[in-house]
């Protein structure tokens, strides 16, 4: 039996199959971006396809903990908007 890769959402903390989550990447230039393709270079974190989980991640500083850096609220706000745009597709 093939093992399904499981990742934990940095917002709600639920464990889900990797393909149901969206990757967030921190690039070598320290930009933090949504990575719907899951193929960008850099350190990755995973989050549900849900703007609400971005807001939860802000409350728990989920990105800060994943990337071990201080992530400003503007970054979370931008990710939330990008997530809403994705959800509209
Ligand atoms: Zn979640």
């Amino acid at each position: 039996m093939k093992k399904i890769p499981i990742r934990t959402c940095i917002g709600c903390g639920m464990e889900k199959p990797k393909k149901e989550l969206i990757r967030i990447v921190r690039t070598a230039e320290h930009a933090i971006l949504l990575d719907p393709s899951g193929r960008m270079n850099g350190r990755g974190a995973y989050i549900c396809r849900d703007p609400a989980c971005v807001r939860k991640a802000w409350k728990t500083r989920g990105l800060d903990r994943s990337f071990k850096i201080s992530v400003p609220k503007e970054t979370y706000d931008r990710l939330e908007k990008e997530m809403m745009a994705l959800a509209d597709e």
Side-chain angles (χ1 to χ4, degrees):
M1 221 175 93
K2 257 195 170 173
K3 220 178 157 198
I4 303 165
I6 300 288
R7 293 292 180 272
T8 305
C9 169
I10 59 160
C12 63
M14 296 253 293
E15 292 185 343
K16 294 191 176 181
K18 195 172 149 185
K19 62 174 186 226
E20 289 181 18
L21 300 169
I22 289 190
R23 188 167 180 255
I24 297 173
V25 71
R26 180 167 74 107
T27 69
E29 292 79 31
H30 303 286
I32 291 175
L33 306 167
L34 278 190
D35 175 19
S37 75
R39 289 192 187 90
M40 287 173 70
N41 285 322
R43 198 185 162 90
Y46 288 85
I47 192 162
C48 299
R49 212 181 176 82
D50 186 348
C53 279
V54 180
R55 286 192 293 275
K56 283 178 196 157
W58 163 243
K59 286 203 184 105
T60 61
R61 304 297 189 274
L63 280 178
D64 303 47
R65 281 185 288 124
S66 294
F67 295 140
K68 299 185 170 58
I69 54 166
S70 180
V71 180
K73 182 162 194 299
E74 295 76 68
T75 300
Y76 285 93
D77 287 346
R78 179 173 49 77
L79 291 175
E80 188 184 337
K81 286 202 190 81
E82 288 178 23
M83 189 73 86
M84 283 191 262
L86 277 182
D88 284 345
E89 273 171 18

